[in-house]
Structures are given as C-alpha cells and as structure tokens.
Amino acid sequence: MSTDAPADPAPQPSAELPNPLAGQGESALPTADAAYWEGAAASFDDEPDHGLRDPAVRSAWAARLRSWLPSAPATVLDLGCGTGSLALLAAEQGHRVTGVDRSPRMIAQARGKLAGHDAAFLVGDAAEPAVGERRFDVVLVRHLLWALPDPSAALCRWAGLLAPGGRLVLVEGRWGEAAQIGIPAGELTALVEPLAAHTRVEDLSHDPVLWGKEVADERYALIAELPRRHR
C-alpha cells in the first residue's frame, strides 16, 4: 500500500472494512488490496503531493521532512512508501532509507527514482514489514493508518522497529464531507502517547503549498520520540 491517500480520499467500490478511529462506530474504508494500488501506480504521481513535481511543493515537503528527521545520517524506514517521493527527499538529505510497499509497480518506480542513492525497497505489507531484527532511527508513514483495520496494533509493531530514542513520523488527516474517513489528530495522539516519551502535532492544513492547493480538511504530522531505553 502507498503511504498516500488520494488528495481527497473517498471509499472505493470494493469490499469494506471497519476502522473505529474513522468516526463514531464503524465507518466504511476501502479495502486497500495490492490490485487497487497496482492500478493506481501509473497515475499516482499526478497528485501534487505524491509526485512532488512542482518545485515549490517539493521544497515545502523537503523543509518539513528536514525538521521532522534527526540529523543525518539516520536510518529511515518509509512504510507504504508508494513511488518513493518522500524516500528520495530523505536520501537527498543524507539518510539511509528502506522503503516498503505492497505494490510491485510502485516499488519499481521508487527504485528508479532512488537509483544511485543509499536506499533499498521491499515489496510487502507495511503493517507488518519483513525487516527481520533490524532497528531504525525513524519510522516514516504518510497517509497509511487511515486505511488499516487495526491502527493500534500497527503502531505497536512500528514502535518495536525503532532503536531506543527513535521517532515515529506520522502524516495523517481526516477527509471527506458526507462520510469522513481518516484519524483525527487527538485520537492518534491518544494511541501514540503510551509508546512515546514525547509527542508533538504540527498542523499541515494551513500550508497549501504542501498540497498544491487550498485544503479545508484536517491534515497534520505527529512526531513521537521514543524513550532512550525501551520500557
């Protein structure tokens, strides 16, 4: 699966799964199977915040990423990396990147973008990344938790992939009008706080350059620092 929801995510006409964080009770979310993201791969980068083809959009994401990541070189695990746009920014800033996505076509594009950089990409489940005993300085996730059936379990798994003192960088939001989907910042903060020594939330809704347009929905980044020693 990609890290990125569509610019204005909406349920797809496929089987549905509940995500209790997406509203009161159960709310319909798309089944984010590999076939869906394989089909989306060809046009995925057409969204301004996906492909980062506009220099202003790219620069805005690069600046944000620089403020969220530790000093280089750090090891960054980009889960649901999609076509590798954020992974490329991280690599250009001197970090060693491992990307995981369930779409082989998106992974192929990511490998092409990062050819010559210190990066590796794996086809697999971002909720349960097959990285063995490796531990990372950062787990970076953009627009993925909204589509998972059990965000809490995924967060616990991802925290376990971090070295002591590592950080989670989670870019999420809540979209839609008639039927909203996503995770409000307050709910995600409540899930993350038991795992972290410190958390902060940055509002991203009021920075239209990031999205290539004005947005009216909730978009944010949650940065969580883990304890220096595992509990």
Side-chain angles (χ1 to χ4, degrees):
M1 168 182 285
S2 158
T3 52
D4 292 320
D8 296 296
Q12 301 298 322
S14 58
E16 295 174 349
L17 57 94
N19 181 341
L21 292 175
Q24 300 298 320
E26 293 186 354
S27 200
L29 289 177
T31 297
D33 58 17
Y36 171 79
W37 296 108
E38 281 288 89
S43 60
F44 188 78
D45 279 354
D46 292 346
E47 290 290 343
D49 58 307
H50 292 181
L52 306 184
R53 291 166 174 163
D54 184 303
V57 176
R58 193 176 197 278
S59 178
W61 278 103
R64 293 280 184 166
L65 200 63
R66 188 175 290 106
S67 73
W68 298 335
L69 300 183
S71 299
T75 53
V76 177
L77 179 61
D78 184 358
L79 294 176
C81 64
T83 60
S85 294
L86 288 189
L88 178 57
L89 294 181
E92 289 176 344
Q93 292 175 14
H95 301 291
R96 298 184 296 274
V97 183
T98 300
V100 180
D101 198 282
R102 67 190 305 177
S103 165
R105 290 182 181 174
M106 290 202 185
I107 287 292
Q109 291 185 51
R111 287 172 175 155
K113 285 182 184 179
L114 278 90
H117 291 278
D118 191 359
F121 292 93
L122 308 172
V123 176
D125 184 358
E128 289 283 346
V131 294
E133 299 301 313
R134 294 182 62 191
R135 294 296 177 265
F136 299 85
D137 299 313
V138 178
V139 169
L140 170 66
V141 186
R142 182 169 70 166
H143 296 169
L144 173 60
L145 276 167
W146 68 276
L148 297 182
D150 193 346
S152 181
L155 288 166
C156 289
R157 169 61 176 150
W158 297 343
L161 297 174
L162 289 168
R167 68 183 64 171
L168 292 168
V169 177
L170 309 172
V171 180
E172 282 295 334
R174 188 150 167 79
W175 309 268
E177 296 178 1
Q180 288 194 331
I181 59 175
I183 304 178
E187 293 190 22
L188 183 54
T189 299
L191 283 180
V192 171
E193 280 184 335
L195 306 171
H198 175 74
T199 62
R200 77 177 192 272
V201 175
E202 288 186 19
D203 174 64
L204 304 179
S205 300
H206 298 102
D207 188 352
V209 180
L210 288 170
W211 315 107
K213 63 179 182 178
E214 296 281 349
V215 297
D217 43 36
E218 181 182 14
R219 306 189 188 199
Y220 62 89
L222 188 152
I223 299 90
E225 306 274 352
L226 265 65
R228 292 291 175 180
R229 295 183 180 179
H230 286 312
R231 297 168 180 171

